[in-house]
Amino acid sequence: MKMDVLLGLQWGDEGKGKVVDYLAPAYEMVARFQGGPNAGHTLEFDGIKHVLHQIPSGIFRKNIHNIIGNGVVLDPVVLKKEIEALKKFNIDFKKNLAISKKATIILPTHKLLDAAYEKSKGDKKIGSTLKGIGPTYQDKVGRVALRVGDMLAPDFKEKYLELSDRHRSILEYYQYKLNDLPSLEAEFFDAVTFFKSLNLVETEFEVNAALKSGKKVLAEGAQGSLLDIDFGSYPFVTSSSTMTAGACTGLGVPPAAIGEVFGIFKAYCTRVGSGPFPTELFDEDGEKMRKEGNEFGSTTGRPRRCGWLDLPALKYSIMINGVSQLFMMKADVLNDFEEIKVCTGYELPDGSTTDRLFPSGNDESFKPIYKTLNGWHCNLNEVEQYKDFPDALKNYVEFLEKHLEVPINMVSVGPDRKKTILK
């Protein structure tokens, strides 16, 4: 059996959580392979909205085994709070959730370092979520980080103090105050005690055993492809590999085991934090997208930057990920637009054109070239089948398919599970 991969193709916030929840009944295992509590996967069903930060989005399905893989950086405090918030759903976390012993732990001092680094950048800050993600991945690559398995060791406290002392010296250099550290540490060690009651295992064996036995596995990514540490809009990126290849290293699965690659994108574009955004809107249309789409970060609450769909960016993400199917989210947000624009390429300073992403780096010395399409200008609340879509929406889907050369097999027209239309 092959492992399918689901990931975002833009700058994150594409609606991956909803799609994982929708697809989950077809799978027996859902595995998260990278990122940390800087991700916010929003699911909505039975009129209730749920935001998950570290737990895989298959957790609400009782027959699915959920995996937090080695590529994830875990905040024990956040995970403890997430689990406690889900107690009312009678989820058996000992049975339905397994956490890799190789996953890296976010320490309280990692969060302080994140804040200190961001503050030191001044106007050049990258827009970090300040969850400690970057400093934790730095320690992982520097081979000094602590991992989930270390929490089971009798000398864990000594290991913690050794690493946190290293962090303290850096914080002293930045003259960053440590007033909050005692309370953060108390909360952290309380969460560590709680962690020991969970199912901590070598998850790479579980995932590969599931595949070998013929079970269907879905790998769930966080953030988006344009935030990838290598191929995103560097340096305004996250600290992990957000693409298909990251599913292999983040779960311990060989490349030959990858099956379908589901690429998720919004019918328009959004971005949180700093960095290039060629189609960003600063007018009434951008504000309308933000309002209609409730475009505020599910992790940070920050207003998202909004703009028209960027096809060069989408084509790039499709290429580096090997996307085989596309799912378009939030089509309903564009319901009230008379006209809808799509960026099909860029005009360079010398007058030439290209359809390659970021042709001149991050300096944005190029202009998007737009194709204008008719909007559907109607409510989609009553639509339950693709054949009932207004012609303008069908034309929009077909236009995108023609340019992207990958089928769009699902269109979301609302946040609820039921508002997911298969093509």
Side-chain angles (χ1 to χ4, degrees):
M1 184 62 69
K2 301 277 189 177
M3 179 179 76
D4 296 337
V5 180
L6 184 145
L7 37 77
L9 300 181
Q10 295 161 312
W11 285 285
D13 309 309
E14 298 93 350
K16 296 178 291 296
K18 177 190 176 179
V19 177
V20 173
D21 176 66
Y22 183 83
L23 294 177
Y27 294 88
E28 292 151 286
M29 178 179 285
V30 174
R32 171 84 177 270
F33 63 84
Q34 49 75 224
N38 55 338
H41 289 181
T42 303
L43 301 79
E44 189 167 325
F45 52 89
D46 299 332
I48 303 172
K49 184 168 76 171
H50 312 273
V51 180
L52 300 174
H53 296 283
Q54 299 182 117
I55 297 174
S57 300
I59 198 65
F60 293 106
R61 308 283 188 172
K62 292 185 177 180
N63 297 324
I64 292 175
H65 192 47
N66 293 270
I67 298 287
I68 296 177
N70 57 276
V72 175
V73 289
L74 268 177
D75 187 329
V77 175
V78 173
L79 188 67
K80 179 176 181 288
K81 290 178 179 178
E82 276 195 79
I83 290 175
E84 289 174 343
L86 296 176
K87 281 183 178 179
K88 59 186 175 184
F89 295 100
N90 298 315
I91 298 169
D92 186 348
F93 286 96
K94 189 75 175 179
K95 175 184 176 184
N96 288 357
L97 179 67
I99 302 170
S100 174
K101 289 183 179 179
K102 293 182 174 67
T104 307
I105 307 168
I106 299 173
L107 307 189
T109 43
H110 281 132
K111 299 176 189 176
L112 300 183
L113 284 171
D114 205 353
Y117 291 152
E118 189 76 341
K119 183 179 179 181
S120 72
K121 294 183 177 78
D123 294 339
K124 296 181 180 180
K125 63 181 181 179
I126 63 173
S128 169
T129 58
L130 306 181
K131 303 294 181 182
I133 308 300
T136 305
Y137 275 115
Q138 281 180 301
D139 279 352
K140 176 179 178 177
V141 174
R143 297 168 292 182
V144 296
L146 298 179
R147 306 204 285 187
V148 168
D150 290 320
M151 289 192 283
L152 304 176
D155 62 344
F156 175 69
K157 187 69 176 285
E158 288 76 15
K159 290 181 177 181
Y160 170 87
L161 291 173
E162 182 180 349
L163 183 53
S164 64
D165 283 346
R166 179 194 293 254
H167 294 163
R168 282 170 182 264
S169 64
I170 300 172
L171 290 164
E172 286 177 10
Y173 170 81
Y174 282 99
Q175 298 181 332
Y176 195 86
K177 294 181 180 180
L178 305 179
N179 298 344
D180 296 333
L181 187 54
S183 60
L184 290 174
E185 287 185 329
E187 194 175 27
F188 173 80
F189 281 104
D190 178 59
V192 167
T193 301
F194 173 80
F195 239 70
K196 295 177 182 178
S197 67
L198 301 176
N199 187 24
L200 312 180
V201 297
E202 307 289 352
T203 53
E204 62 269 32
F205 288 103
E206 293 206 4
V207 176
N208 282 285
L211 292 171
K212 188 175 182 180
S213 65
K215 292 182 178 179
K216 295 196 69 177
V217 178
L218 179 65
E220 175 186 20
Q223 288 85 44
S225 297
L226 299 180
L227 293 176
D228 182 83
I229 185 65
D230 287 297
F231 297 101
S233 48
Y234 190 89
F236 305 99
V237 294
T238 192
S239 301
S240 59
S241 178
T242 61
M243 46 190 283
T244 304
C248 296
T249 56
L251 293 171
V253 173
I258 300 297
E260 295 281 346
V261 178
F262 304 122
I264 317 300
F265 72 100
K266 284 177 181 173
Y268 51 101
C269 282
T270 64
R271 178 164 197 168
V272 172
S274 305
F277 186 171
T279 63
E280 183 174 7
L281 295 172
F282 302 95
D283 57 10
E284 293 180 359
D285 285 339
E287 187 57 40
K288 183 191 285 191
M289 287 178 189
R290 187 176 299 110
K291 181 180 178 182
E292 295 297 322
N294 191 28
E295 294 296 355
F296 298 89
S298 53
T299 296
T300 64
R302 289 181 294 183
R304 295 177 184 139
R305 301 155 63 190
C306 297
W308 297 117
L309 192 63
D310 188 326
L311 291 189
L314 263 184
K315 290 164 72 174
Y316 182 78
S317 294
I318 289 168
M319 176 185 73
I320 63 175
N321 285 300
V323 173
S324 56
Q325 295 187 45
L326 290 168
F327 299 158
M328 185 170 78
M329 313 301 290
K330 288 196 164 186
D332 54 302
V333 173
L334 302 181
N335 283 353
D336 291 332
F337 286 83
E338 292 283 357
E339 293 182 336
I340 295 170
K341 293 183 179 180
V342 180
C343 171
T344 58
Y346 309 120
E347 181 182 340
L348 304 182
D350 63 4
S352 63
T353 61
T354 181
D355 63 354
R356 288 198 171 190
L357 178 65
F358 301 141
S360 51
N362 285 340
D363 61 6
E364 299 189 71
S365 60
F366 53 90
K367 299 178 181 178
I369 300 170
Y370 287 114
K371 170 74 173 178
T372 301
L373 303 174
N374 292 328
W376 38 98
H377 203 56
C378 66
N379 194 300
L380 301 174
N381 281 342
E382 305 303 319
V383 176
E384 296 183 353
Q385 297 184 59
Y386 183 83
K387 67 180 180 65
D388 298 324
F389 276 172
D391 288 341
L393 177 51
K394 290 180 184 175
N395 290 338
Y396 188 63
V397 172
E398 291 167 8
F399 176 83
L400 298 182
E401 286 182 321
K402 178 182 177 181
H403 282 76
L404 300 173
E405 300 180 319
V406 179
I408 298 173
N409 290 335
M410 179 190 292
V411 179
S412 176
V413 296
D416 195 88
R417 280 176 180 167
K418 299 176 182 178
K419 299 297 182 181
T420 311
I421 312 300
L422 295 178
K423 180 164 174 284

